[in-house]
């Protein structure tokens, strides 16, 4: 009888500790990401690399610019970065977006294959 009580007590103790451990490891905060598309002027693979690199600021988790559609798909944490900041960074490396235009100086410094105007 003592053995049965001991086994029963051990089973209860194990199940309580497993349940407690599972509850303490739950994520209490969820990070919401946002995915948006931005029209970005450009022409080639060099443009693609430059645009995606410029868009990859802290808070951005994924970038993909399509040469065919001229659309940048960007996934980011809106608590860490804004769409405006991303577009400003892209314009700063020579590529126009709907909100921000590249300066003539930066645009003129692009390789000839990347000039879209």
């Amino acid at each position: 009888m003592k053995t049965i009580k001991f086994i029963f007590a051990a089973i209860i103790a194990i199940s309580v500790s497993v349940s407690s451990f599972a509850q303490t490891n739950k994520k209490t905060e969820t990070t919401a990401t946002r995915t948006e598309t931005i029209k970005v002027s450009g022409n080639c693979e060099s443009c693609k690399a430059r645009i995606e690199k410029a868009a990859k600021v802290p808070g951005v988790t994924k970038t993909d610019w399509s040469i065919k559609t001229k659309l940048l798909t960007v996934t980011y944490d809106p608590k860490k970065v804004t769409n405006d900041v991303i577009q400003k960074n892209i314009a700063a490396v020579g590529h126009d977006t709907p909100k921000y235009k590249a300066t003539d100086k930066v645009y003129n410094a692009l390789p000839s294959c990347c000039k879209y105007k």
Side-chain angles (χ1 to χ4, degrees):
M1 190 66 156
K2 284 184 178 183
T3 306
I4 294 174
K5 285 182 182 179
F6 178 75
I7 292 173
F8 186 68
I11 291 171
I12 290 174
I14 290 171
S15 64
V16 168
S17 67
V18 169
S19 175
S20 297
F21 180 74
Q23 289 178 2
T24 59
N25 284 329
K26 286 183 182 176
K27 275 192 168 182
T28 56
E29 184 179 325
T30 57
T31 303
T33 59
R34 181 176 294 165
T35 301
E36 296 180 350
T37 57
I38 304 166
K39 184 83 170 165
V40 181
S41 299
N43 295 324
C44 62
E45 287 293 328
S46 294
C47 295
K48 177 177 175 63
R50 188 180 308 102
I51 291 165
E52 290 177 356
K53 183 178 178 183
K56 198 88 177 198
V57 296
V60 173
T61 56
K62 185 178 177 188
T63 61
D64 183 42
W65 183 74
S66 168
I67 295 171
K68 185 177 179 180
T69 64
K70 312 295 187 214
L71 292 176
L72 172 70
T73 302
V74 61
T75 302
Y76 64 96
D77 181 349
K79 293 178 183 176
K80 296 180 180 178
V81 68
T82 64
N83 184 300
D84 275 0
V85 168
I86 296 166
Q87 288 193 49
K88 282 180 186 177
N89 280 4
I90 294 167
V93 298
H95 297 276
D96 292 348
T97 70
K99 289 187 176 182
Y100 300 97
K101 304 299 178 204
T103 64
D104 288 340
K105 182 179 179 181
V106 175
Y107 176 78
N108 290 333
L110 290 175
S112 60
C113 62
C114 297
K115 295 190 176 172
Y116 48 86
K117 293 181 186 178

